[in-house]
Amino acid sequence: MILTRKKLTIFFSCVLIGVIALAVASSTSGKIASTAAEPRQIPIYYVDTQEKVCAISFDAAWGNEQTSTLLDILDQYDVKSTFFLVGDWVENYPDDVKEIFSRGHDVGNHSATHPHMAQLSKEEQLKEIDSCNEAVKALTDHAPTLFRAPYGEYDNNLVSGLKERDMYCVQWNIDSLDWKDPSPDEMVSRIKEKLCPGSVILMHNGATNTPEALPKIIEMIQGEGYTIIPISQLIPEGDYYTDHEGKMILSDSAESASE
């Protein structure tokens, strides 16, 4: 068979395409194997418990106009909560940080600048966490042990980095959606529908209708027979894992159940 220049060109083109396809396939399979070897780490969304307890939490990233009102309402009902504070907010409103802490509420870490944490390197994530911790500790003499990711965005680096800091990455299983300005009654209905033992409820210190809704929410929760406690008291001590829903389960509880 005589190989013309055209045939040779076609032959070598086919060989080159085959080599490229093989390289791509090898690269893809390597990534799949790597992903499979590293299971997704899930933060705590709520806690495995039989007790009728739950936590109300507030994220504070911008203004402070409603903070004093919310603190007064919580005092009125003798309820302790958890406030996740952004480092910039801590620097802008130091007196509010001290007041939150002095009234017996958890002061949690909500990053230094409220970035999309999953878009940062692990080193950058840890700088965000450490900076906020240092700002809070300078005012309260206590560094936060609870962290909530801005926008609820996280990755394995973030969850593992927090564990290295002996901190908990805490999300929520009930979003009040107060940031969308629903009516107080709509917030109450939404929370009541999703409420379960170990729930973590998300609210914000700057949403328009939150001060009006908070008393109704507390009364509804207590009317359902629940006790509202800070997240630090909701989370049990000991080794744990989170299931696919983000439910925090103590490792020894799982072992006891299997025996």
Side-chain angles (χ1 to χ4, degrees):
M1 182 177 66
I2 300 174
L3 295 177
T4 64
R5 178 176 295 180
K6 181 177 181 181
K7 288 181 179 180
L8 284 172
T9 301
I10 294 172
F11 173 76
F12 284 115
S13 296
C14 291
V15 171
L16 180 59
I17 292 171
V19 170
I20 293 173
L22 181 61
V24 171
S26 298
S27 174
T28 302
S29 63
K31 290 180 181 177
I32 293 173
S34 174
T35 302
E38 185 180 4
R40 186 183 182 202
Q41 298 191 46
I42 302 177
I44 298 167
Y45 282 78
Y46 68 113
V47 174
D48 180 38
T49 179
Q50 299 302 311
E51 296 183 58
K52 297 188 78 172
V53 292
C54 66
I56 295 176
S57 61
F58 299 90
D59 288 359
W62 293 281
N64 74 326
E65 294 81 4
Q66 299 176 352
T67 306
S68 294
T69 301
L70 295 175
L71 290 174
D72 289 342
I73 294 171
L74 293 169
D75 279 353
Q76 178 185 342
Y77 288 91
D78 195 24
V79 167
K80 302 303 179 187
S81 183
T82 302
F83 286 77
F84 288 97
L85 311 180
V86 171
D88 290 344
W89 195 93
V90 173
E91 293 179 3
N92 289 331
Y93 308 109
D95 291 340
D96 289 292
V97 179
K98 294 176 183 177
E99 190 68 17
I100 290 168
F101 181 78
S102 67
R103 295 204 198 188
H105 303 286
D106 286 343
V107 178
N109 184 325
H110 197 34
S111 79
T113 62
H114 207 269
H116 294 271
M117 298 292 282
Q119 297 178 11
L120 304 181
S121 67
K122 186 171 183 177
E123 181 181 358
E124 291 170 330
Q125 291 173 349
L126 293 176
K127 285 181 66 175
E128 285 281 331
I129 295 164
D130 292 342
S131 176
C132 184
N133 270 6
E134 290 165 5
V136 171
K137 187 174 182 180
L139 295 172
T140 66
D141 201 32
H142 287 78
T145 59
L146 306 172
F147 177 85
R148 172 168 288 160
Y151 313 104
E153 296 180 10
Y154 66 92
D155 59 11
N156 281 6
N157 282 336
L158 179 61
V159 179
S160 64
L162 287 163
K163 289 180 179 178
E164 292 169 9
R165 294 285 194 274
D166 292 324
M167 297 177 69
Y168 296 98
C169 189
V170 182
Q171 303 278 74
W172 60 87
N173 71 313
I174 303 177
D175 187 349
S176 68
L177 295 180
D178 58 351
W179 52 279
K180 288 187 173 182
D181 296 337
S183 70
D185 288 341
E186 287 174 331
M187 280 189 261
V188 170
S189 296
R190 179 177 178 80
I191 293 170
K192 183 176 181 179
E193 178 184 350
K194 298 177 178 294
L195 188 64
C196 67
S199 282
V200 177
I201 300 164
L202 169 64
M203 303 186 77
H204 296 80
N205 77 318
T208 302
N209 296 325
T210 298
E212 184 181 349
L214 184 57
K216 295 183 178 183
I217 291 169
I218 293 173
E219 290 173 7
M220 178 277 292
I221 292 173
Q222 293 177 338
E224 293 292 313
Y226 282 78
T227 300
I228 303 169
I229 58 178
I231 293 175
S232 62
Q233 295 180 23
L234 184 68
I235 292 177
E237 294 183 1
D239 294 333
Y240 72 95
Y241 68 95
T242 50
D243 67 10
H244 67 285
E245 294 182 336
K247 179 165 66 175
M248 178 190 186
I249 303 171
L250 287 180
S251 299
D252 55 1
S253 297
E255 292 172 3
S256 299
S258 64
E259 291 176 356

